[in-house]
Amino acid sequence: MASENPFKSILKTLEKPGGGEFGKYYSLTALNDPRIDKLPYSIKILLESAIRNCDEFQVKSKDVEKIIDWENSAPKLVEIPFKPARVLLQDFTGVPAVVDLACMRDAMNRLGGDSNKINPLVPVDLVIDHSVQVDVAKSENAVQRNMEFEFQRNNERFGFLKWGSNAFHNMLVVPPGSGIVHQVNLEYLGRVVFNTDGMLYPDSVVGTDSHTTMIDGLGVAGWGVGGIEAEATMLGQPMSMVLPGVVGFKLLGKLREGVTATDLVLTVTQMLRKHGVVGKFVEFYGQGMSELSLADRATIANMSPEYGATMGFFPVDHVTLQYLKLTGRSDDTIATIESYLRANKMFVDYSEPQVERVYSSYLVLNLEEVEPCISGPKRPHDRVPLKEMKADWQGCLDNRVGFKGFAVPKESQKKVAEFTFHGTPAQLRHGDVVIAAITSCTNTSNPSVMLGAALVAKKACELGLEVKPWIKTSLAPGSGVVTKYLIKSDLQKYLNQLGFHIVGYGCTTCIGNSGDLDEAVASAITENDIVAAAVLSGNRNFEGRVHPLTRANYLGSPPLVVAYALAGTVDIDFETEPIGLGKDGKKIFFRDIWPSNEEVANAVQSSVLPDMFRATYDAITKGNPMWNQLSVPSGTLYAWDPKSTYIHEPPYFADMSMSPPGPHGVKNAYCLLNFGDSITTDHISPAGSIHRDSPAARYLLERGVDRRDFNSYGSRRGNDEVMARGTFANIRIVNKLLKGEVGPKTIHIPTGEKLSVFDAAMKYKSEGNDTIILAGAEYGSGSSRDWAAKGPMLLGVKAVIAKSFERIHRSNLVGMGVIPLCFKAGEDADTLGLTGQEQYTIDLPSSVNEIRPGQDVTVVTNNGKSFTCTLRFDTEVELAYFDHGGILQYVIRNLINAKH
């Protein structure tokens, strides 16, 4: 039972300099503990939350002591509870979250509880952003036309979210067309310091998208969690987490001429991947911080998932306060933020002597050493210096198929595919660019690279360069502010001239919403087996994600996207080869179109103004005409429509009773899929287009949905029937059971039949057989996608045995009652001689009290093999979820049983 906060004696009043008070706050300095002064700033945020929420029930005094003693306790991997200040959702994950909340209300009702208890207990910000399919590009009115298409496709889904915003308390819904969730969070939603009923405390947030970490650039502790974990957080459950180690990353110097923030983040990503930061915080410090704008910091923080850290944190300093002023936050708000953080010694003032912080490990980067680069062709951390790109591309053509290889035979490498594009003869070669997209939350919130891209376009246009008409170019800013400063600078017209018209405000190419390529281009690629390229200013370039027909996908800064679009190929050395010919026939080189740092800085200074932010976000609160006209039902229980192919009641609670089912082992399970390393959540649960021959397509066609109305998997995440069929439906997935064949199929072991993964899983279920998955390292890397755990559970998968798991995905598997197991170091399926043809038995005690987090478990096969794995339930709370059959069932039973 909860009791009075034992730290009430350090609850102080924060006085205003001229009289009056800002509010009350828990004073860390009043504890008079010298260990607190040396704590990393990011750990202080965890400490303040634990102190403020301490009730000796959900959060205990001993948890506070663990955090204060972080230097000694973190290496022991101790567990702590954390209660974030708010939850951030976007519509792809917001729809299933609201579906689950609505479903939980029904379950509460059925079990005799008060369904109105199912309400967010912490503020929920839901931004409808992941919905811009690039149907129309290269058009002055692309934004309006794409928005109309989106409302036609997603009318039901948007209406459902609008219902949720009325039915559930404490939920703010930002309408579609406003921007990308992370940029809206940075520019508008981020509080930095909360003032709730006179109580001051640091803003902190967990979000259902892995790039929630972008907010760390603003000094707000935030990271991605699974949708399942987010729902429990909304309902007042503390997050159980292992107290993380913190890597101190010292920045020195300043970036050289011509080097962008994107070049810096790709360099940092590679350094941190090499260092190993999975499950850790990274905290940036040092004199180089003063040379980084807040947008540059946010770019680095955004890519935390790509370098594997939980957070890439930048403590609040004067640069943060300047940005808050620039983005239209009030003077009173900024004064409150600065006063509170200074009082609690959570503000960094570089004009004062710095207290030496203690970190778990240290890295140093001199910014002057960063050089222009891109990353690819299949992973974000495969960085290639620009000067080495031509040689690297040649290597990729030669190398065997893999992360850096396409195995194109020597005699085919110079192949030219002739085709006709709208009546004009055209050619495609390996490495030719067919998609060039300025897109994604990583870069489109950064004025320096966005205006840099526009300056490249201006110089190119003035010199007479053009982009080939068959290259699909697009510009999707993260918020309407970008449009305002591109127009103010008088530079948007040059981007338009090159085909980079604004297509909408939201995630596009980076999430797989590229839209179709022209049929002539698509045919030329497929008929000639061309390794076509996409260049995008995104953060993810996993195979099959950007577009099914672009096998090579490179991440680069927005100005580099424009440069590669002009060159028309990635097979180029920008130092020695011309990008093209100017209007006078003169060769134009990369250096002729690249702007100086001074030119970029001047454009930012004169064009990015506070009124732009205020005007953009005032419009958000009023909604837009299409959103405002949506009519939605009233009532707190949702009226499910059994005919809907977008919103469907999932079966999670169908047989639920008040008694927890207890832990389950696995007996004589078949291997559904046998994977190698780096299976991403895109492989497990793709977000992009629904393939015409897939089980999901069959399901939709059977229900009268026309192919052109299939929409994407991401948009149908509110329908479990579609999503179960879309599980492991990625067309590039490699399953060892298929012995070299690529695609979403598997072998039904008892019969030897080759079936779609969904059909095989249903056959196993109908026969009463459980299934497991074998996997290599980094299983579940990529986006924090709850359906990558929900889908396998619905397919009947009981356990995943992998070399290692991505943090959020492992947590999601636990939340859905799927057992995560890790092979012992140095072992995997291959070294143990496992083919996936065996049957697997995993014995677990029948009482959860007999299971320990991280204990050894023996796995036995039907052909006499036996090996030991580590049980990856990492905390006692996760074991409790497993005991209840999942996190949502745990929450429902606790709410019904609650006596306080």
Side-chain angles (χ1 to χ4, degrees), residues 867-883:
F867 55 98
T868 303
C869 289
T870 303
L871 183 64
R872 286 299 310 277
F873 295 125
D874 289 357
T875 65
E876 297 290 345
V877 172
E878 288 187 344
L879 283 172
Y881 296 158
F882 184 54
D883 187 44

Side-chain angles (χ1 to χ4, degrees), residues 79-255:
E79 175 192 349
I80 61 159
F82 175 53
K83 299 192 89 170
R86 61 189 171 101
V87 171
L88 182 70
L89 305 174
Q90 36 71 271
D91 69 323
F92 271 14
T93 49
V95 169
V98 178
V99 164
D100 289 353
L101 288 173
C103 205
M104 288 172 77
R105 275 196 175 170
D106 289 346
M108 282 281 278
N109 220 26
R110 201 164 53 245
L111 292 168
D114 178 1
S115 63
N116 287 322
K117 278 187 178 178
I118 304 289
N119 256 319
L121 297 178
V122 299
V124 174
D125 299 322
L126 197 164
V127 182
I128 302 180
D129 81 331
H130 261 220
S131 51
V132 183
Q133 180 91 2
V134 187
D135 293 300
V136 180
K138 304 191 182 191
S139 162
E140 295 285 355
N141 61 351
V143 174
Q144 182 63 23
R145 288 174 64 193
N146 284 324
M147 178 74 87
E148 287 166 2
F149 281 131
E150 286 309 321
F151 266 83
Q152 286 167 21
R153 278 196 197 100
N154 298 301
N155 193 280
E156 186 182 348
R157 218 161 50 87
F158 292 167
F160 177 67
L161 289 175
K162 193 171 179 182
W163 168 81
S165 69
N166 297 326
F168 296 103
H169 304 307
N170 225 3
M171 185 183 285
L172 167 70
V173 174
V174 177
S178 306
I180 298 176
V181 57
H182 308 305
Q183 189 160 345
V184 174
N185 195 19
L186 196 70
E187 295 174 353
Y188 177 64
L189 297 171
R191 281 73 153 180
V192 186
V193 171
F194 262 88
N195 185 346
T196 303
D197 301 327
M199 176 66 77
L200 302 172
Y201 53 96
D203 187 5
S204 57
V205 59
V206 290
T208 51
D209 186 275
S210 49
H211 293 107
T212 300
T213 53
M214 190 169 193
I215 200 68
D216 303 338
L218 193 68
V220 173
W223 59 86
V225 296
I228 305 145
E229 245 184 322
E231 289 166 32
T233 303
M234 283 184 232
L235 295 164
Q237 297 299 305
M239 277 180 52
S240 178
M241 61 186 286
V242 173
L243 185 62
V246 183
V247 177
F249 199 123
K250 190 173 191 176
L251 297 172
L252 305 171
K254 62 187 291 188
L255 293 174

Side-chain angles (χ1 to χ4, degrees), residues 429-695:
R429 296 173 173 80
H430 294 301
D432 277 7
V433 174
V434 294
I435 291 174
I438 300 173
T439 177
S440 140
C441 51
T442 306
N443 287 293
T444 61
S445 62
N446 193 325
S448 65
V449 291
M450 295 301 282
L451 287 164
L455 288 166
V456 169
K458 178 176 187 283
K459 288 172 185 282
C461 290
E462 289 170 349
L463 290 166
L465 291 177
E466 295 178 347
V467 174
K468 291 185 177 73
W470 56 83
I471 298 176
K472 188 163 189 177
T473 44
S474 61
L475 166 58
S479 85
V481 176
V482 179
T483 303
K484 289 182 169 64
Y485 64 64
L486 285 173
I487 291 170
K488 165 82 174 162
S489 64
D490 203 28
L491 293 172
Q492 178 66 54
K493 62 187 180 188
Y494 299 109
L495 287 164
N496 289 354
Q497 195 174 321
L498 296 182
F500 288 95
H501 294 83
I502 293 175
V503 295
Y505 303 96
C507 293
T508 55
T509 307
C510 191
I511 190 73
N513 284 349
S514 313
D516 292 333
L517 292 176
D518 185 275
E519 282 185 20
V521 177
S523 298
I525 293 169
T526 52
E527 289 166 14
N528 295 279
D529 200 21
I530 293 292
V531 182
V535 183
L536 60 150
S537 63
N539 45 49
R540 299 252 165 92
N541 54 342
F542 302 128
E543 206 172 2
R545 179 184 176 104
V546 172
H547 192 282
L549 297 180
T550 58
R551 279 190 272 166
N553 301 284
Y554 285 94
L555 307 180
S557 66
L560 271 181
V561 171
V562 177
Y564 274 108
L566 290 161
T569 180
V570 296
D571 186 12
I572 184 172
D573 180 345
F574 278 144
E575 299 224 348
T576 61
E577 297 178 87
I579 279 181
L581 299 177
K583 46 194 166 194
D584 55 2
K586 183 182 164 194
K587 291 178 179 177
I588 307 297
F589 289 85
F590 180 80
R591 56 184 170 271
D592 300 323
I593 61 170
W594 201 255
S596 69
N597 289 5
E598 186 180 8
E599 285 176 282
V600 173
N602 288 342
V604 172
Q605 188 68 35
S606 60
S607 306
V608 185
L609 306 170
D611 284 350
M612 296 176 176
F613 293 90
R614 289 194 196 100
T616 299
Y617 290 109
D618 280 350
I620 280 179
T621 55
K622 295 177 186 142
N624 61 56
M626 284 184 273
W627 173 259
N628 293 340
Q629 285 161 20
L630 274 178
S631 98
V632 296
S634 56
T636 58
L637 294 175
Y638 189 68
W640 305 97
D641 176 1
K643 296 193 292 295
S644 170
T645 57
Y646 275 105
I647 308 296
H648 184 264
E649 184 175 14
Y652 310 140
F653 312 115
D655 302 317
M656 182 179 166
S657 69
M658 281 304 295
S659 302
H664 62 82
V666 177
K667 190 168 180 60
N668 291 328
Y670 286 97
C671 177
L672 181 63
L673 295 143
N674 183 2
F675 292 129
D677 294 342
S678 296
I679 290 295
T680 70
T681 51
D682 276 315
H683 289 121
I684 304 168
S685 183
S689 56
I690 297 170
H691 196 270
R692 59 190 304 118
D693 300 321
S694 65

